C-alpha cells in the first residue's frame, strides 16, 4: 500500500511537471502569487479603474461613488497619482489624456505636455563646440519645461466635468497630508536618485531622511507643502499655479539656478485640443495620441506593417513572430528620428506614416529570417508626397465611456528640483528634445532635426494613451510609462490581446521586447525568452540585450459587458471597480 501511494505520488509529480512545462512552453510570462493577482486584476459590472497607485485607485473610486462622472474621477486620479508617485509624475509635469464618449463615439484629445521656455533655443543643450551638455537637460532648472498638468486638468474639468473642481482635488490633499507608506519602487527611486536629490534643499528634506538617506520601505511619507499647494489649486481652479504665489515660488527656484523659466512662460502655458491618431488592425479601430507624441503614429504604423502576417498561427513568442515584430518596431523608430516632432512647429507627414500603402512598402524591406541592421536603414525612407487633406491610468464605465491618460515628469524625480516651499517636483522634460540632430536622450533614442529645442515648442514624447474599438464598441483601454518603450509595450499588448487572443492577464504578463533601431538590439524584459528562442534570433543576426525596461500596462477590457481590469503585476498599482 505504502509503495502504491509512493508510486502514485511520483506519477502525479511527473504529470504536474509535464503540465507545467507544456503550459509554459508556448510563451514566457511573469508569474505572481495569488495575493498579488487579487490586487492587480478585477472583473466588475459598472466601473473600472486601473492605476499605478493603491491610494490613487481608491481616490478615483471615492469620487465616482460621491456622484462624480468619469472625468471628475480622472482629475482626482491625476492629482492623487501626483502625490503617490512623486518620482514618476506630478503637478510639475505634463501629459496627455483621451476621453472617448460612448454616446457620440467622439474622442476628445487633450495635450498638456510641457513647453520649452521662451528663452530656450536650438543650441540650449550643447556647448560652444556643439557637444551635448548632458546633465543640463536632466537636473536642475534648465531641465524643466513649463508644466502643463494643472492647467490641462482644469481645462478638461471645465469642458467635461460634473462635480465641483475643489472636491476632485480633496483625495490628493488627504493623501499628501496624511501620507502613505513608501513602497519598494519609490524607495528604489529615492536610492537611485539620492545624489541628485541632495543638491536641492526641499528635495532632500522631503525625499531623504535627516542623514540624507532614502526613506525606508514602510515609512509614512508626508508631503505637507504639496498638500498646501494642492489646497490653493483647489481654491483657484489651478490659476495660482500659473499667475499667483505658486508661480512666483516656482520661478524663484528656477531662477536661483540661473535658468530661464519665467512668470511669462507660466502665464502663457497653452493646453491644446488635438485630433486623435486613428488606425485599424484586422477590423479593430485604434485610437491613440498624435504629436507631440510619437506614440499613436508608430503604434498604428507597427500594426499596419504586421497586419499582413498571420502572427497568431506562428505563436506569440515564436522567433519568427519576434523577428517580424522587432523589424516593424525598427522601421517605425527610424521614421521617429527622421520625421517626428511638435506638429505646431514642424511638418509631420502623419497621413503617410499611418497609411496602409506606406506600411506595405516598409514591409517589403523585412527579410525572411534575417535581422535588418541599423546601417542598412540609415538612409531615411522616402515617403512620397504627403496627401494634402488632411504614470498611465485607465477608466471605463458600463456605458462605454473611457478615459486613458499618461502623465509624467520624465525621469525619476524629474529635474530633482523641488520648487522651494511648494512640494512640487519640477520635470526634466527638456531632455525629450534632441540636444542636437544626432544627440541621444535619457532613453537612448536618437534625436532628429524636427525635435530640436525651440521656444514654446513641446518635446517629442512616446506617451500613448490608447483605445481599441470594434463595431463602435469599446474593446480595450490601455497605456504605460517607460519612455520610448511605451509605444512598443502598448502595440505588443494590443497584439497579444486581439491578434494572439491571449486572456487579458496573460496579454499583460507575457514577456515584452523592444527594438528602437538604435541601439541595434532587441531589448528583452524578464522573464527572458527561452534559450532556443534566443539562439534562433541570434542566428538571424539580432543582438539580444536582456535588461528590464519597466513598462507598467494599465488595461481595461470590455468583455461581453463585463469590465475586466488588469494593473500590471510587475509593479505597484491596483485594479478597482464595482
Ligand atoms: O514623454 C515621454 O515619452 C517620456 N518623457 C516619458 C518618460 C517615461 O515614461 C519615464 N518612465 N519610465
Amino acid at each position: 500500500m505504502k509503495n502504491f501511494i509512493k508510486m502514485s505520488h511520483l506519477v502525479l509529480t511527473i504529470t504536474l511537471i509535464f503540465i507545467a512545462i507544456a503550459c509554459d512552453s508556448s510563451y514566457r510570462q511573469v508569474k505572481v502569487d495569488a495575493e498579488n493577482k487579487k490586487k492587480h486584476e478585477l472583473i466588475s459590472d459598472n466601473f473600472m479603474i486601473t492605476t499605478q497607485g493603491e491610494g490613487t485607485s481608491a481616490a478615483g473610486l471615492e469620487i465616482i461613488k460621491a456622484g462624480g462622472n468619469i472625468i471628475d474621477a480622472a482629475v482626482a486620479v491625476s492629482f492623487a497619482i501626483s502625490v503617490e508617485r512623486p518620482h514618476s509624475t506630478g503637478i510639475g509635469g505634463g501629459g496627455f489624456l483621451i476621453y472617448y464618449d460612448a454616446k457620440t463615439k467622439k474622442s476628445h484629445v487633450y495635450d498638456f505636455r510641457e513647453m520649452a521656455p521662451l528663452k530656450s533655443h536650438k543650441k540650449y543643450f550643447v556647448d560652444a563646440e556643439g557637444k551635448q551638455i548632458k546633465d543640463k537637460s536632466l537636473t536642475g532648472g534648465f531641465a524643466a519645461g513649463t508644466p502643463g498638468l494643472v492647467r490641462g486638468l482644469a481645462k478638461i474639468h471645465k469642458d467635461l466635468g460634473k462635480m465641483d473642481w475643489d472636491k476632485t482635488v480633496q483625495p490628493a490633499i488627504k493623501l499628501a497630508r496624511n501620507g502613505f507608506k513608501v513602497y519598494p519602487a519609490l524607495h528604489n527611486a529615492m536610492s537611485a536618485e539620492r545624489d541628485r536629490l541632495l543638491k536641492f534643499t526641499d528635495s532632500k528634506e522631503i525625499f531623504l531622511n535627516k542623514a540624507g538617506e532614502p526613506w525606508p520601505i514602510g515609512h509614512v511619507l508626508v508631503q505637507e507643502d504639496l498638500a498646501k499647494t494642492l489646497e490653493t489649486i483647489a481654491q483657484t481652479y489651478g490659476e495660482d499655479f500659473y499667475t499667483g504665489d505658486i508661480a512666483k515660488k516656482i520661478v524663484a527656484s528656477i531662477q536661483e539656478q540661473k535658468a530661464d523659466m519665467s512668470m511669462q512662460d507660466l502665464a502663457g502655458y497653452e493646453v491644446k485640443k488635438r485630433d486623435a491618431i486613428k488606425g485599424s488592425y484586422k477590423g479593430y479601430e485604434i485610437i491613440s495620441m498624435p504629436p507631440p507624441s510619437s506614440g499613436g503614429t508608430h503604434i498604428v504604423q507597427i500594426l499596419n506593417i504586421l497586419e499582413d502576417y498571420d502572427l497568431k498561427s506562428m505563436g506569440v513568442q515564436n522567433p519568427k513572430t519576434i523577428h517580424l515584430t522587432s523589424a516593424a518596431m525598427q522601421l517605425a523608430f527610424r521614421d521617429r528620428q527622421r520625421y517626428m516632432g511638435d506638429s505646431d512647429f514642424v511638418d509631420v507627414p502623419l497621413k503617410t506614416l499611418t497609411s496602409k500603402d506606406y506600411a506595405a512598402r516598409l514591409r517589403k524591406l523585412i527579410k525572411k529570417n534575417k535581422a535588418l541592421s541599423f546601417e542598412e536603414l540609415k538612409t531615411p525612407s522616402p515617403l512620397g508626397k504627403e496627401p494634402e487633406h488632411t504614470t498611465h491610468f485607465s477608466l471605463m464605465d458600463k456605458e462605454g465611456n473611457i478615459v486613458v491618460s499618461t502623465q509624467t515628469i520624465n525621469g525619476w524625480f524629474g529635474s530633482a528640483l523641488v520648487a522651494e516651499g511648494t512640494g512640487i517636483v519640477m520635470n526634466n522634460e527638456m531632455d525629450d528634445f534632441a540636444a542636437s540632430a544626432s544627440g541621444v536622450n535619457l532613453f537612448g533614442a536618437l534625436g532628429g532635426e524636427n525635435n530640436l529645442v525651440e521656444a514654446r515648442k513641446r518635446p517629442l514624447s512616446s506617451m500613448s494613451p490608447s483605445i481599441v474599438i470594434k463595431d463602435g464598441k469599446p474593446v480595450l483601454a490601455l497605456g504605460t510609462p517607460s519612455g520610448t518603450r511605451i509605444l512598443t509595450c502598448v502595440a505588443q499588448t494590443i497584439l497579444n490581446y486581439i491578434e494572439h487572443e491571449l486572456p487579458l492577464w496573460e496579454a499583460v504578463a507575457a514577456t515584452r521586447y523592444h527594438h528602437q533601431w538604435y541601439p541595434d538590439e532587441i531589448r528583452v524584459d524578464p522573464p527572458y525568452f527561452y534559450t532556443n528562442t534566443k539562439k534562433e534570433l541570434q542566428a538571424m543576426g539580432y543582438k539580444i540585450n536582456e535588461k528590464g525596461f519597466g513598462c507598467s500596462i494599465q488595461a481595461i477590457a470590455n468583455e461581453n459587458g463585463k469590465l475586466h481590469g488588469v494593473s500590471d503585476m510587475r509593479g505597484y498599482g491596483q485594479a478597482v471597480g464595482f
Side-chain angles (χ1 to χ4, degrees):
M1 187 61 184
K2 234 181 180 177
N3 272 352
F4 175 75
I5 292 175
K6 254 192 192 162
M7 245 339 249
S8 6
H9 217 103
L10 190 68
V11 171
L12 187 68
T13 313
I14 292 172
T15 316
L16 283 177
I17 289 173
F18 269 113
I19 290 174
I21 292 173
C23 289
D24 212 30
S25 66
S26 57
Y27 60 94
R28 300 215 67 188
Q29 60 171 307
V30 177
K31 293 270 155 64
V32 297
D33 58 31
E35 178 94 2
N36 187 324
K37 188 153 193 220
K38 225 166 84 194
K39 206 174 260 177
H40 287 85
E41 184 179 42
L42 186 72
I43 297 178
S44 286
D45 291 320
N46 299 299
F47 204 90
M48 181 65 68
I49 307 176
T50 52
T51 82
Q52 287 186 270
E54 292 174 14
T56 299
S57 292
L61 203 57
E62 180 185 327
I63 293 297
I64 285 292
K65 292 206 160 159
N69 66 13
I70 194 166
I71 294 294
D72 301 321
V75 172
V77 161
S78 302
F79 281 120
I81 199 76
S82 291
V83 176
E84 200 176 12
R85 284 193 84 85
H87 56 305
S88 300
T89 185
I91 57 177
F96 304 124
L97 180 146
I98 304 180
Y99 165 61
Y100 178 80
D101 185 322
K103 229 190 241 153
T104 60
K105 310 214 179 308
K106 192 172 154 14
S107 304
H108 302 254
V109 181
Y110 289 90
D111 165 3
F112 39 98
R113 178 85 166 153
E114 296 84 339
M115 289 168 75
L118 284 162
K119 283 200 180 145
S120 64
H121 50 79
K122 287 197 166 126
K123 303 219 164 127
Y124 213 47
F125 295 115
V126 290
D127 62 18
E129 277 87 54
K131 246 185 75 206
Q132 192 166 352
I133 320 166
K134 204 55 213 161
D135 203 45
K136 190 176 172 191
S137 65
L138 288 173
T139 305
F142 286 96
T146 310
L149 193 99
V150 174
R151 203 167 257 178
L153 296 178
K155 164 95 179 119
I156 294 163
H157 180 268
K158 241 176 233 164
D159 289 353
L160 302 159
K162 176 174 135 199
M163 183 183 249
D164 288 346
W165 161 261
D166 68 313
K167 291 209 177 99
T168 65
V169 195
Q170 295 312 314
I173 298 172
K174 254 189 284 164
L175 201 56
R177 181 153 291 142
N178 299 341
F180 59 89
K181 285 189 180 158
V182 171
Y183 46 91
L186 176 54
H187 169 79
N188 292 345
M190 289 168 172
S191 305
E193 303 305 325
R194 174 179 171 268
D195 291 351
R196 293 195 318 131
L197 293 168
L198 279 169
K199 291 186 181 168
F200 307 102
T201 318
D202 282 29
S203 315
K204 106 179 144 197
E205 260 174 28
I206 300 168
F207 299 116
L208 302 173
N209 67 15
K210 288 238 155 38
E213 295 300 329
W215 293 113
I217 295 167
H219 166 82
V220 176
L221 182 72
V222 171
Q223 300 171 78
E224 180 54 32
D225 282 349
L226 185 58
K228 287 195 189 114
T229 297
L230 287 167
E231 272 170 348
T232 309
I233 287 171
Q235 285 149 16
T236 63
Y237 222 133
E239 256 324 281
D240 196 83
F241 187 101
Y242 291 93
T243 53
D245 281 347
I246 302 174
K248 283 186 197 141
K249 286 183 187 161
I250 293 174
V251 168
S253 284
I254 296 269
Q255 294 190 350
E256 200 183 310
Q257 309 265 304
K258 309 269 179 283
D260 295 314
M261 193 192 298
S262 64
M263 290 299 281
Q264 207 186 339
D265 281 307
L266 282 166
Y269 181 82
E270 264 182 286
V271 181
K272 298 262 175 161
K273 279 204 79 177
R274 305 205 180 266
D275 293 326
I277 287 287
K278 290 197 174 153
S280 65
Y281 183 83
K282 302 188 182 177
Y284 290 87
E285 190 188 341
I286 313 291
I287 299 170
S288 191
M289 197 62 209
S293 178
S294 58
T297 309
H298 297 312
I299 288 171
V300 167
Q301 187 181 8
I302 290 167
L303 295 178
N304 280 345
I305 295 172
L306 295 175
E307 194 176 27
D308 211 40
Y309 301 111
D310 183 5
L311 297 182
K312 181 165 166 33
S313 70
M314 292 176 203
V316 64
Q317 274 168 30
N318 179 281
K320 243 178 160 172
T321 305
I322 299 168
H323 161 56
L324 296 171
T325 312
S326 301
M329 292 174 182
Q330 252 174 312
L331 291 162
F333 268 94
R334 173 176 66 159
D335 285 347
R336 186 182 189 275
Q337 190 271 344
R338 173 68 182 81
Y339 299 110
M340 297 306 276
D342 181 348
S343 51
D344 292 342
F345 284 73
V346 292
D347 284 332
V348 181
L350 287 180
K351 283 274 172 271
T352 306
L353 290 173
T354 56
S355 78
K356 303 276 183 202
D357 286 354
Y358 180 58
R361 264 199 284 146
L362 292 180
R363 198 181 301 124
K364 287 198 187 117
L365 299 175
I366 302 177
K367 291 175 252 182
K368 209 171 166 202
N369 300 332
K370 189 163 184 304
L372 288 164
S373 71
F374 173 75
E375 287 301 323
E376 70 192 294
L377 292 179
K378 233 170 163 181
T379 320
S381 160
L383 290 176
K385 198 170 174 305
E386 170 77 350
E388 277 168 34
H389 51 269
T390 312
T391 167
H392 181 89
F393 59 81
S394 304
L395 297 91
M396 197 188 282
D397 65 19
K398 68 167 187 252
E399 282 79 32
N401 298 304
I402 299 171
V403 172
V404 280
S405 181
T406 315
Q407 307 175 356
T408 187
I409 48 172
N410 198 28
W412 272 349
F413 289 106
S415 65
L417 170 68
V418 171
E420 252 181 84
T422 67
I424 301 170
V425 183
M426 298 303 293
N427 68 83
N428 62 355
E429 223 67 61
M430 294 296 281
D431 190 70
D432 272 349
F433 279 117
S436 69
S438 58
V440 165
N441 74 2
L442 185 62
F443 305 100
L446 278 180
E449 285 284 340
N450 280 358
N451 188 31
L452 290 172
V453 185
E454 281 180 72
R456 289 179 66 75
K457 193 176 178 182
R458 286 145 136 95
L460 182 62
S461 172
S462 302
M463 294 191 289
S464 317
S466 301
I467 295 167
V468 180
I469 304 279
K470 186 156 197 205
D471 303 326
K473 299 220 170 69
V475 173
L476 186 63
L478 77 169
T480 176
S482 201
T484 45
R485 281 85 62 165
I486 291 173
L487 71 99
T488 51
C489 285
V490 169
Q492 258 171 91
T493 311
I494 293 175
L495 284 168
N496 288 349
Y497 190 65
I498 67 179
E499 168 71 32
H500 298 287
E501 296 180 4
L502 301 188
L504 189 62
W505 178 268
E506 277 76 9
V508 174
T511 289
R512 295 175 182 141
Y513 53 96
H514 169 79
H515 201 316
Q516 62 178 43
W517 179 47
Y518 180 87
D520 196 352
E521 63 184 26
I522 299 180
R523 186 150 158 194
V524 190
D525 198 56
Y528 305 131
F529 296 139
Y530 290 115
T531 313
N532 281 349
T533 308
K534 182 172 155 183
K535 280 192 180 145
E536 277 193 51
L537 288 164
Q538 284 166 330
M540 290 181 200
Y542 285 106
K543 186 175 164 232
I544 306 292
N545 182 3
E546 293 173 336
K547 187 173 175 212
F549 50 73
C551 282
S552 183
I553 290 277
Q554 307 300 313
I556 305 175
N558 185 323
E559 294 166 346
N560 304 318
K562 292 270 182 205
L563 303 176
H564 184 177
V566 174
S567 166
D568 208 314
M569 61 298 291
R570 293 164 183 82
Y572 183 70
Q574 195 163 17
V576 298
F578 63 97

